[in-house]
């Protein structure tokens, strides 16, 4: 699977080769070479952990600029639910109008699409009773994590398009119907909390092509939106999302919207890994739904957001309860969209199977892989087991694997290097004590 | 070629429990074993490990991996199973209350081990211990 279109990049100028990031990367995708971090494309799942951990801010995400929307005749913004949590405002409509003022012609709330996905997820769950637990596919970083580290759980992934994808699809359909504008002249831009969504657009999961044309980082338009908000007074209401959809922004919101009891929700990529391990062991078979989000707190904690995730989570909660009394109207709204646009669950199903990403394999031939596995273990016995990272690999084990894969040398380990030098030094001392035969004195 | 791994399992140690099966899974992933096979081995090795932790006074978990098959062997040092037939029944459990409260010991261990392995053998002697031998074919 080509993963070279991922969106996390390194600013070589800023990188000091400190090895902080290599320790935190969940897929061991980073190495330090010649004092600079290097990301192994095929392994990166774009979770953004390295952006968060780099003390020198050398990691960044490549997303679209607001200028990029100008390429399209009609521009529609798809704000992520987490976008709502970034600002202190008494009215969501003001936020949406601010997006219109910064250059968009139209809006389709991803929160609304999330409500639609929730409805179809319920339908899917009731039809597929044998698969337990069903794993949410909303967070692309988690889906890629499963493809990379948990290939045996690919089958459990909910094969439905994510809210962002559904929003883009429906927005284009609606605009085409209402305004007669051709689909390819409409540009749909996701207002995103993360880089994983950008990668999704470059390399969709479950589909050949994404309906999304670009991804704009929340942090890149934050200032602009904020300044527009200030002068915004009473605006015409355009938001049609309910608390359920907006709730998706924070960890647990998706499960809550499903209205089932047997779910587990986990946030933070390393916690997600722990629970996936348990699912693998067959321990969560009584659980119907698993919602795993790569960022701590959920999308409100996305690496491209601005607001403190705890504050943001609280705002999401407030919006959800504030909208509770309108729940019925908003729900009818959902049904109306689904009926008007004639969408069925089948329309949202994956068209392309998710494949395993075999980067952890030592060799594609099992016998060869076994030999390499043994060699890794032999090398491990020699390495000091300190996991110091000085060699540029995150752990001694990874260094051993890198050596076997031909990507590193045992002398990359400073301890082995030191040992070798010591040996060499001893030999030199020994040699220096010896005299050439021409000078050797006769023994009397 | 064979790859064998062996792990000491302590009785009652729920903190370390699952580590051995985790290492077996990790090896299978590095070897590129197919997902369906991996899934089966993951479940049986974990159940076998947990059985030693919950029901025995300690033992070993072994994995022997070859091109064609993966063998999982769990041997413990007592107390053994009185009635194997009963123990193989779904939902039958001799686990004490406090272990069930942890979410373990629901009486699915042995039945699951049998269900997910292609070959399953169990021997047990009251007082001496239990040996479970399981095979998953790598096809
Ligand atoms: S984005 Fe995540 S997976 Fe990719 S290099 Fe950074 S930490 Fe590793
Ligand atoms: S949790 Fe949300 S913000 Fe974070 S990577 Fe996943 S989709 Fe993106």
């Amino acid at each position: 699977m080509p993963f070279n279109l991922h969106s996390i990049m390194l600013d070589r100028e800023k990188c000091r080769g400190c090895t902080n990031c290599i320790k935190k990367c969940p897929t061991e995708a980073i190495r330090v070479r010649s004092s600079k971090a290097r990301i192994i494309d095929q392994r990166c799942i774009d979770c953004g952990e390295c952006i968060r951990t780099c003390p020198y801010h050398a990691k960044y995400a490549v997303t679209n600029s607001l200028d990029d929307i100008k390429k399209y005749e009609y521009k529609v913004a798809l704000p992520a639910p987490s976008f709502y949590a970034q600002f202190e405002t008494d009215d969501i409509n003001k936020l949406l109008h601010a997006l219109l003022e910064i250059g968009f012609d139209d809006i389709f709330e991803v929160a609304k699409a999330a409500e639609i996905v929730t409805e179809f997820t319920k339908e899917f769950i009731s039809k597929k009773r044998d698969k337990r637990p069903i794993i949410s596919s909303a967070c692309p970083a988690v889906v890629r994590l499963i493809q990379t580290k948990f290939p045996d759980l690919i089958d459990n992934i909910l094969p439905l398009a994510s809210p962002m994808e559904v929003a883009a699809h429906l927005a284009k359909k609606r605009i085409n119907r209402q305004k007669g504008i051709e689909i390819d002249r409409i540009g749909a831009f996701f207002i995103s909390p993360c880089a994983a969504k950008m990668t999704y657009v470059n390399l969709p999961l479950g589909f050949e092509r994404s309906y999304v044309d670009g991804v704009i980082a929340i942090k890149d338009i934050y200032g602009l939106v904020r300044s527009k908000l200030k002068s915004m007074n009473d605006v015409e209401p355009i938001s049609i999302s309910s608390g359920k959809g907006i709730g998706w922004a924070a960890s647990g919101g998706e499960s809550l919207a499903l209205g089932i009891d047997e779910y587990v929700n986990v946030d933070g990529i390393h916690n997600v890994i722990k629970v996936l391990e348990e699912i693998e062991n067959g321990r969560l078979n009584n659980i119907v739904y698993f919602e795993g989000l790569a960022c701590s707190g959920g999308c409100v904690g996305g690496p491209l957001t601005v607001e403190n995730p705890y504050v943001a989570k609280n705002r999401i909660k407030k919006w959800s309860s504030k909208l509770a009394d309108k729940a019925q109207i908003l729900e009818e709204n959902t049904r109306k969209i689904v009926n008007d646009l004639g969408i069925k669950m089948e329309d949202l199903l994956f068209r392309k199977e998710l494949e395993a990403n075999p980067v952890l394999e030592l060799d594609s031939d099992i016998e060869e892989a076994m030999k390499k596995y043994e060699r890794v273990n032999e090398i491990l016995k020699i390495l000091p087991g300190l996991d110091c990272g000085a060699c540029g690999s995150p752990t001694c084990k990874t260094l051993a694997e890198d050596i076997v894969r031909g990507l590193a040398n045992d002398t990359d380990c400073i301890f082995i290097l030191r040992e070798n030098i010591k040996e060499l030094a001893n030999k030199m001392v020994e040699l220096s004590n010896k005299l050439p035969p021409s000078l050797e004195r006769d023994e009397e | 070629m064979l790859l064998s791994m062996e792990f000491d399992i302590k009785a009652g140690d729920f903190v370390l429990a699952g580590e051995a099966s985790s290492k077996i899974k990790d090896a299978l992933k590095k070897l590129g074993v197919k997902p369906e096979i991996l899934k089966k081995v993951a479940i049986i090795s974990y159940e076998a490990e947990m059985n030693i932790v919950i029901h025995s006074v300690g033992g070993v978990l072994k994995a022997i991996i070859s091109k064609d098959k993966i063998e999982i062997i769990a041997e413990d040092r007592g107390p053994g199973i009185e009635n194997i037939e009963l123990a193989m029944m779904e939902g039958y459990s001799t686990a004490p209350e406090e272990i069930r409260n942890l979410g373990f010991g629901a009486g699915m261990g042995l039945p699951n081990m049998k269900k997910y392995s292609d070959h399953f053998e169990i021997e047990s002697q009251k007082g001496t211990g239990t040996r479970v031998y399981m095979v998953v074919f790598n096809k």
Side-chain angles (χ1 to χ4, degrees), chain A residues 149-153 155-156 277 280-283 360-363 366-367 369-371 373-374 397 401, chain B residues 1-3 5 22 25-27 29-32 35 38-39 42-43 46 65-67 102-104 138:
Chain A
K149 265 179 106 103
F150 299 94
D152 48 324
L153 298 181
D155 260 2
N156 293 56
E277 282 251 359
E280 204 168 49
N281 293 338
R283 272 216 67 199
L360 296 186
E361 265 178 45
L362 289 166
D363 202 289
I366 185 160
E367 293 260 341
M370 283 165 82
K371 277 183 210 152
Y373 188 84
E374 291 224 307
K397 190 158 178 238
E401 287 174 17
Chain B
M1 172 156 192
L2 288 178
L3 255 185
M5 319 171 85
S22 232
K25 276 192 303 197
D26 182 62
K29 287 173 189 175
K30 298 278 153 67
L31 299 179
L38 182 59
K39 194 173 227 157
I43 293 174
Y46 180 76
I65 306 164
S66 66
K67 193 179 169 190
L102 286 172
F104 297 102
N138 189 18

Side-chain angles (χ1 to χ4, degrees), chain A residues 396-409:
Chain A
C396 293
K397 190 158 178 238
T398 334
L399 174 66
E401 287 174 17
D402 286 349
I403 294 171
V404 168
R405 289 177 202 268
L407 304 171
N409 290 309

Side-chain angles (χ1 to χ4, degrees), chain A residues 6 8 21 24-30 39-40 43-51 59:
Chain A
H6 75 93
I8 306 283
C21 61
K24 283 288 172 66
C25 173
T27 55
E28 299 173 331
I30 316 176
I39 301 174
I40 305 170
R43 281 187 177 226
C44 175
I45 59 168
D46 290 274
C47 65
E49 273 304 292
C50 53
I51 296 184
K59 295 280 199 323

Side-chain angles (χ1 to χ4, degrees), chain A residues 30-79:
Chain A
I30 316 176
R31 301 289 181 276
V32 173
R33 295 281 179 265
S34 319
S35 301
K36 300 287 168 199
R38 191 181 291 167
I39 301 174
I40 305 170
D41 285 354
Q42 291 86 339
R43 281 187 177 226
C44 175
I45 59 168
D46 290 274
C47 65
E49 273 304 292
C50 53
I51 296 184
R52 270 186 277 259
T53 45
C54 176
Y56 308 105
H57 309 291
K59 295 280 199 323
Y60 64 98
V62 183
T63 49
N64 293 101
S65 75
L66 199 51
D67 265 351
D68 291 336
I69 72 174
K70 293 187 185 137
K71 281 187 278 186
Y72 295 86
E73 183 185 319
Y74 195 82
K75 311 147 185 79
V76 54
L78 317 169

Side-chain angles (χ1 to χ4, degrees), chain A residues 104-300:
Chain A
F104 288 98
D105 302 306
D106 208 329
I107 305 273
F108 197 108
E109 297 174 85
V110 175
K112 188 84 237 170
E115 288 159 41
I116 295 169
V117 172
T118 297
E119 287 316 305
F120 289 122
T121 305
K122 284 183 192 163
E123 188 180 333
F124 185 88
I125 289 175
S126 67
K127 283 184 180 159
K128 292 264 178 194
R129 297 205 153 272
D130 54 325
K131 262 226 164 82
R132 290 292 180 261
I134 290 167
I135 301 175
S136 164
S137 52
C139 174
V142 168
V143 173
R144 291 202 203 279
L145 173 77
I146 293 173
Q147 289 177 294
T148 308
K149 265 179 106 103
F150 299 94
D152 48 324
L153 298 181
I154 290 178
D155 260 2
N156 293 56
I157 296 174
L158 177 73
L160 287 183
S162 65
M164 169 184 84
E165 188 60 40
V166 172
H169 188 166
L170 299 188
K172 287 184 175 174
K173 213 166 170 174
R174 190 198 71 202
I175 293 160
N176 174 266
R177 276 208 196 163
Q178 285 178 346
K179 312 228 145 99
I181 301 169
E182 280 163 54
I183 300 273
D184 52 9
R185 286 154 75 190
I186 307 168
F189 287 83
F190 182 59
I191 312 300
S192 178
C194 71
K197 293 288 191 187
M198 181 83 225
T199 311
Y200 172 98
V201 172
N202 293 337
L203 270 169
L205 297 160
F207 298 93
E208 285 295 342
R209 262 207 76 195
S210 173
Y211 283 95
V212 184
D213 301 290
V215 170
I216 295 173
I218 286 179
K219 70 172 178 57
D220 289 351
I221 56 165
Y222 176 81
L224 206 53
V225 170
R226 231 185 112 133
S227 64
K228 295 281 178 203
L229 265 183
K230 272 193 206 133
S231 54
M232 194 106 40
N233 291 317
D234 277 346
V235 290
E236 185 201 331
I238 45 173
S239 174
I240 50 166
S241 297
S242 82
K244 281 186 183 169
I246 295 171
W248 274 59
S251 171
E254 182 187 352
S255 303
L256 212 62
L258 280 177
I260 49 170
D261 291 329
E262 299 79 17
Y263 70 84
V264 167
N265 74 279
V266 180
D267 53 319
I269 194 82
H270 294 283
N271 299 327
V272 170
I273 289 175
K274 280 190 203 140
V275 180
L276 289 175
E277 282 251 359
E278 299 214 8
I279 295 178
E280 204 168 49
N281 293 338
R283 272 216 67 199
L284 266 65
N285 287 344
N286 302 328
I287 297 299
V288 174
Y289 201 70
F290 173 69
E291 174 191 341
L293 295 170
C295 299
S296 81
C299 300
V300 285

